[in-house]
């Protein structure tokens, strides 16, 4: 597909791709949405584990030899509809197309390529920051090509802005209840909070983290994700891909030599990224997870990070620490009017069922 001097190429096999990690991440560094979830390492680590269950649909946009944009997508044909989705959307808290200063021009080339391909029923753009200009571009694209779309209500993404608000960050990390828990652990035994530095060390602690996470969520309405096939392998591969690049922040709180809490997160783009916490349910009353969170805020202050991003989810504890609430959006673009009206009818039926239940 051509758009002005740009060429958009659809890649359906990994071996056809000629974008390496350096070129990919350089483009990402100038992208409007630049998070750990768009990095070359994240995308292809996810694909190496879960890719065989999907079909690759990567759109690469170039102006001659210069990489302008990437649409890291996949085709999911497991349901009743052929759905184009972002690679790794199930595990990625932020998703978006990757593009620099010519983003709007590049998005037109991407959309034209998708429309010309035709073999899809719905484009599902999940977990896109509502502040992204992609949202407006999708609406414009739908108007130009006669496609109908459905937007769902935004999901909250609480954040603690640190830079410029250091005094506030210190106050929330030193609340009386948190200090009390911290001091108790310090006085009654040996407490140590540390970040795992080597792949070998992280792998040794990984099974303890997984076992604790499974016990923490056992018997609840949300069983541990580590009970689902593939997730253990994905997290292990993330350790190998991200820790040598100092992008993984895998933190442990030990008390008397026993791990009471873990946090599997990231340090990327001058942000501490909250991702997967866990704590020992036998020590719930000591709030080890909150004590570990206090340490992460102090880490952000010490390292001069811009923020601690709690990512998607509106859990009450996040609200207690956050001073900013962002939103993620979800847009579904239908290739046919019939598919659009079918989904609208299903939404209405679901709404009335909820009213009657």
């Amino acid at each position: 597909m051509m758009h002005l001097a740009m060429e958009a190429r659809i890649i359906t096999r990994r071996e056809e791709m000629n974008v390496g990690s350096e070129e990919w991440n350089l483009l990402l560094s100038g992208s409007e949405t630049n998070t750990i979830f768009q990095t070359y390492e994240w995308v292809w680590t996810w694909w190496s584990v879960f890719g065989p269950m999907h079909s690759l649909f990567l759109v690469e946009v170039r102006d001659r030899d210069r990489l302008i944009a990437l649409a890291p997508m996949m085709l999911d044909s497991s349901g009743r509809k052929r759905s184009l989705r972002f690679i790794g959307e199930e595990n990625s808290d932020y998703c978006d197309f990757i593009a620099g200063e010519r983003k709007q021009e590049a998005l037109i080339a991407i959309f034209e390529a998708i429309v010309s391909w035709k073999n899809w029923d719905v484009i599902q753009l999940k977990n896109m920051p509502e502040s992204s200009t992609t949202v407006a571009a999708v609406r414009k694209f739908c108007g130009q090509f006669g496609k109908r779309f459905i937007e769902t209500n935004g999901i909250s993404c609480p954040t603690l802005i640190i830079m410029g608000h250091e005094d506030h960050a210190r106050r929330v990390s030193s609340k009386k209840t948190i200090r009390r828990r911290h001091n108790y652990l310090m006085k009654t035994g040996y407490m140590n909070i540390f970040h795992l530095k080597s792949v070998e060390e992280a792998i040794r602690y990984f099974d303890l983290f997984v076992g604790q996470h499974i016990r923490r969520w056992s018997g609840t309405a949300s069983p541990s994700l580590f009970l689902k096939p593939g997730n253990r392998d994905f997290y292990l591969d993330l350790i190998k891909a991200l820790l040598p690049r100092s992008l993984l922040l895998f933190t442990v709180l030990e008390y008397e030599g026993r791990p009471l809490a873990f946090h599997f997160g990231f340090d990327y783009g001058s942000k501490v990224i909250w991702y997967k916490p866990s704590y020992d349910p036998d020590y719930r009353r000591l709030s080890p997870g909150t004590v570990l969170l206090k340490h992460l805020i102090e880490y952000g202050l010490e390292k001069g990070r811009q923020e601690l991003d709690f990512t998607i989810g509106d859990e009450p504890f996040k609200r207690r620490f956050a001073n900013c609430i962002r939103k993620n959006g979800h847009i579904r673009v239908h290739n046919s009017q019939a598919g659009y009206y079918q989904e609208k009818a299903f939404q209405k039926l679901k709404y009335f069922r909820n009213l009657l239940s």
Side-chain angles (χ1 to χ4, degrees):
M1 289 297 298
M2 297 293 297
H3 188 268
L4 299 178
M6 292 186 181
E7 180 180 1
R9 186 167 73 103
I10 297 172
I11 298 167
T12 57
R13 297 195 307 165
R14 176 78 189 274
E15 53 268 28
E16 296 173 358
M17 190 184 79
N18 58 6
V19 182
S21 60
E22 185 175 350
E23 187 178 28
W24 181 296
N25 289 335
L26 180 62
L27 177 67
L28 177 61
S29 68
S31 185
E32 183 180 20
T33 301
N34 173 16
T35 77
I36 190 72
F37 307 109
Q38 284 79 53
T39 61
Y40 180 96
E41 290 78 13
W42 179 277
V43 169
W44 297 113
T45 296
W46 190 93
W47 188 257
S48 69
V49 177
F50 299 105
M53 293 177 280
H54 307 278
S55 300
L56 183 64
F57 189 88
L58 175 72
V59 185
E60 174 188 303
V61 181
R62 289 186 179 272
D63 184 346
R64 299 176 179 85
D65 292 332
R66 184 186 173 196
L67 183 64
I68 302 297
L70 290 164
M73 304 189 79
M74 60 187 182
L75 182 67
D76 183 357
S77 302
S78 60
R80 295 169 60 185
K81 295 182 181 295
R82 297 166 298 176
S83 176
L84 283 175
R85 305 165 178 250
F86 288 114
I87 292 175
E89 66 160 32
E90 298 99 314
N91 299 87
S92 303
D93 288 3
Y94 300 112
C95 297
D96 204 346
F97 300 112
I98 303 171
E101 57 189 18
R102 297 170 67 185
K103 178 177 178 178
Q104 297 307 309
E105 188 182 351
L107 288 179
I108 294 172
I110 289 171
F111 295 147
E112 287 180 348
I114 292 174
V115 168
S116 70
W117 191 65
K118 297 180 181 179
N119 297 321
W120 56 276
D121 298 308
V122 63
I123 306 171
Q124 175 166 288
L125 303 177
K126 187 178 179 182
N127 287 337
M128 280 199 311
E130 288 190 345
S131 59
S132 172
T133 55
T134 300
V135 178
V138 170
R139 296 188 188 117
K140 183 177 180 181
F141 151 74
C142 290
Q144 289 178 338
F145 289 90
K147 305 297 180 185
R148 293 186 177 270
F149 65 94
I150 296 173
E151 288 187 63
T152 56
N153 293 332
I155 302 171
S156 293
C157 304
T159 300
L160 172 63
I161 305 295
I162 297 174
M163 190 168 290
H165 302 269
E166 290 84 356
D167 289 343
H168 173 79
R170 291 188 185 96
R171 283 196 300 273
V172 297
S173 68
S174 301
K175 290 180 179 179
K176 186 176 180 180
T177 53
I178 301 173
R179 288 202 320 271
R180 187 184 302 131
R181 300 301 188 194
H182 178 270
N183 293 340
Y184 177 85
L185 291 172
M186 291 289 289
K187 291 176 181 178
T188 59
Y190 177 69
M191 182 184 71
N192 187 24
I193 303 177
F194 54 95
H195 308 292
L196 300 171
K197 298 297 185 183
S198 72
V199 170
E200 295 74 21
E201 185 182 33
I203 289 174
R204 285 201 305 272
Y205 275 92
F206 180 72
D207 284 340
L208 296 173
F209 165 59
V210 169
Q212 186 184 96
H213 195 273
I214 291 172
R215 287 196 304 115
R216 159 68 181 90
W217 293 102
S218 176
T220 72
S222 304
S224 171
L225 82 162
F226 292 114
L227 296 175
K228 296 180 181 179
N231 278 321
R232 287 186 189 226
D233 290 339
F234 175 52
Y235 275 67
L236 273 172
D237 289 349
L238 282 178
I239 290 173
K240 298 168 187 175
L242 300 180
L243 195 54
R245 295 166 177 81
S246 300
L247 299 177
L248 178 66
L249 197 62
F250 193 4
T251 311
V252 187
L253 184 155
E254 282 189 345
Y255 178 70
E256 291 295 291
R258 175 174 179 165
L260 296 196
F262 289 93
H263 180 251
F264 191 101
F266 312 103
D267 187 349
Y268 178 83
S270 194
K271 299 178 182 180
V272 178
I273 310 298
W274 182 265
Y275 190 63
K276 198 61 61 184
S278 180
Y279 65 82
D280 188 331
D282 294 339
Y283 289 81
R284 186 192 311 266
R285 64 182 181 82
L286 300 181
S287 303
T290 303
V291 175
L292 192 151
L293 174 53
K294 168 183 169 65
H295 174 83
L296 290 177
I297 296 173
E298 291 170 348
Y299 171 90
L301 283 162
E302 177 188 345
K303 299 294 184 180
R305 298 298 184 253
Q306 293 178 4
E307 61 187 57
L308 169 56
D309 184 349
F310 286 106
T311 62
I312 60 173
D314 204 19
E315 297 91 331
F317 84 90
K318 294 181 180 180
R319 291 273 184 169
R320 294 200 301 269
F321 291 93
N323 57 5
C324 173
I325 306 293
R326 301 186 181 111
K327 295 277 189 177
N328 271 2
H330 183 183
I331 302 178
R332 289 171 59 85
V333 179
H334 287 271
N335 201 11
S336 70
Q337 291 199 11
Y340 166 79
Y341 287 116
Q342 184 181 40
E343 181 169 346
K344 292 291 286 186
F346 176 78
Q347 286 185 342
K348 286 183 180 179
L349 179 62
K350 186 177 179 181
Y351 172 77
F352 286 118
R353 280 178 176 172
N354 289 338
L355 284 180
L356 295 172
S357 63

